[in-house]
Amino acid sequence: MIKRLLPLALVSLLLAAGMARADDADLGKLEFKNSCAACHGMDGKGGTEMGEFLRIQPPDLSQLQKNNGGVFPTARVYNTIDGRQAVKAHGPRAMPVWGQRYTDDAALVYADPLLGERTVRVRILALIDYLYQLQRP
């Protein structure tokens, strides 16, 4: 019996180690770096070189919760990222700054539409989680 459990225990340990390494790579931070940081800065506060060229200055994303009565506006942030809520500085909804990266159109890249939709949602939720971590009083 113990001989049968030993391989299972080793596999479990290896999987756990692999998941720990996967957790070290913060998907939300990577999404933010690739899609938002050029204008908002890695700290979310704006003041970047790119932001200086914009007609409308990027808002301080570290103050979303504070500016919403102490509650992080998850639904509004989600709708902003996926394009349902228009943001003047992001341009027309057909072509926000990050293109179709977080829209249903991005899901069409995948052969399995459900996989594509899930992938887009995971990326958006990871980005929202990172934004939540940036919040300051």
Side-chain angles (χ1 to χ4, degrees):
M1 179 73 165
I2 292 177
K3 287 183 182 179
R4 282 192 229 161
L5 291 177
L6 187 58
L8 181 59
L10 289 174
V11 169
S12 297
L13 283 172
L14 290 173
L15 286 174
M19 286 191 289
R21 275 187 246 120
D23 287 343
D24 290 342
D26 186 339
L27 177 60
K29 185 175 184 176
L30 181 62
E31 290 293 333
F32 188 84
K33 180 180 178 183
N34 290 333
S35 300
C36 312
C39 297
H40 292 282
M42 277 308 291
D43 61 0
K45 294 178 182 270
T48 65
E49 289 181 29
M50 177 66 87
E52 293 175 16
F53 293 104
L54 302 174
R55 291 192 324 216
I56 300 172
Q57 290 300 303
D60 182 347
L61 298 178
S62 71
Q63 299 296 307
L64 294 171
Q65 184 170 320
K66 181 181 179 183
N67 295 338
N68 194 49
V71 177
F72 186 79
T74 305
R76 184 171 39 131
V77 171
Y78 191 103
N79 291 341
T80 299
I81 294 168
D82 83 352
R84 281 184 264 181
Q85 181 167 328
V87 176
K88 210 179 240 187
H90 290 173
R93 297 323 310 155
M95 183 54 193
V97 171
W98 51 75
Q100 300 300 313
R101 184 175 179 95
Y102 300 112
T103 65
D104 290 336
D105 291 344
L108 298 176
V109 172
Y110 298 90
D112 177 355
L114 289 178
L115 176 63
E117 183 179 334
R118 288 181 193 135
T119 302
V120 170
R121 286 184 184 180
V122 164
R123 292 168 79 175
I124 291 173
L125 292 172
L127 181 52
I128 290 171
D129 180 63
Y130 184 73
L131 288 171
Y132 181 76
Q133 293 174 46
L134 291 179
Q135 298 309 295
R136 299 294 175 254

